[in-house]
Amino acid sequence: MPLPVEIARQLTEEQIAFVKRSGLKAEVLEPGFVRLRMPLQGNQNHIGSMYAGALFTLAEIPGGALFLSSFDAQRFYPIIKEMNLRFRRPATGDIRVEARLAAEEIARLEEQASQQGKAEYVLELQLTDGSDEVVAESRGHYQLRLRSMAPLPAFAIGNSP
């Protein structure tokens, strides 16, 4: 079963120190759908637009956020195998990204990972500004893996380390 929303939000926003410092916010965390926002403030580069590393972080984190809101963290864990980011225009304000996985795709991935130990999937996302202009496009190749019988670390189930 997916984690409760507030635990998924805390893990998405605060578990990775770099992400916490960036100010990334999980605006929506639902099974099969997430919307995240990266603030420009604190993430500006030398010309005043958003730093490329902040955009990359915003493109990569939805894979984990979707996992937390959609999959059973006690049975599975995600990894990212490859990520590409194409910059389209300068990001001069807060940037949002939405990611979706259909319920049927979630069920298929869980079934495949349960039977074969892993299942691969691709997320193609658009990072947009406040005017819905695309500032970057990403393509992430992810893998859902079945956990061994080893106990989970406390942070993986929402407890403090």
Side-chain angles (χ1 to χ4, degrees):
M1 131 179 348
L3 293 174
V5 172
E6 285 311 310
I7 292 173
R9 183 179 320 284
Q10 181 181 9
L11 291 172
T12 298
E13 295 178 355
E14 299 177 11
Q15 183 61 40
I16 300 169
F18 178 85
V19 174
K20 184 176 181 177
R21 285 190 307 271
S22 76
L24 179 138
K25 294 297 178 197
E27 295 183 338
V28 179
L29 293 168
E30 298 173 352
F33 176 71
V34 299
R35 184 175 61 236
L36 309 177
R37 180 180 51 81
M38 180 69 74
L40 176 63
Q41 184 66 37
N43 293 305
Q44 294 162 303
N45 61 19
H46 62 288
I47 61 171
S49 62
M50 190 170 289
Y51 169 60
L55 290 167
F56 190 93
T57 299
L58 183 61
E60 189 273 334
I61 291 294
L66 264 177
F67 168 78
L68 294 170
S69 67
S70 304
F71 294 94
D72 185 346
Q74 293 189 4
R75 292 185 58 217
F76 304 102
Y77 65 96
I79 63 166
I80 185 162
K81 294 180 64 176
E82 180 179 349
M83 172 67 76
N84 296 300
L85 188 63
R86 179 172 182 243
F87 301 101
R88 303 290 306 266
R89 62 179 348 117
T92 57
D94 291 1
I95 304 299
R96 286 188 171 78
V97 65
E98 294 182 355
R100 300 176 193 282
L101 274 177
E104 298 79 18
E105 179 70 354
I106 293 167
R108 183 193 70 76
L109 291 167
E110 286 185 329
E111 180 67 24
Q112 184 179 350
S114 293
Q115 293 178 359
Q116 299 174 14
K118 59 186 175 183
E120 297 188 1
Y121 58 103
V122 172
L123 292 177
E124 293 182 341
L125 307 176
Q126 293 186 324
L127 285 66
T128 58
D129 64 15
S131 300
D132 290 327
E133 293 290 328
V134 176
V135 300
E137 297 172 320
S138 69
R139 186 175 195 277
H141 187 176
Y142 293 84
Q143 197 174 78
L144 182 70
R145 291 193 176 179
L146 185 62
R147 287 193 184 278
S148 67
M149 297 311 291
L152 292 174
F155 71 82
I157 55 175
N159 298 325
S160 297

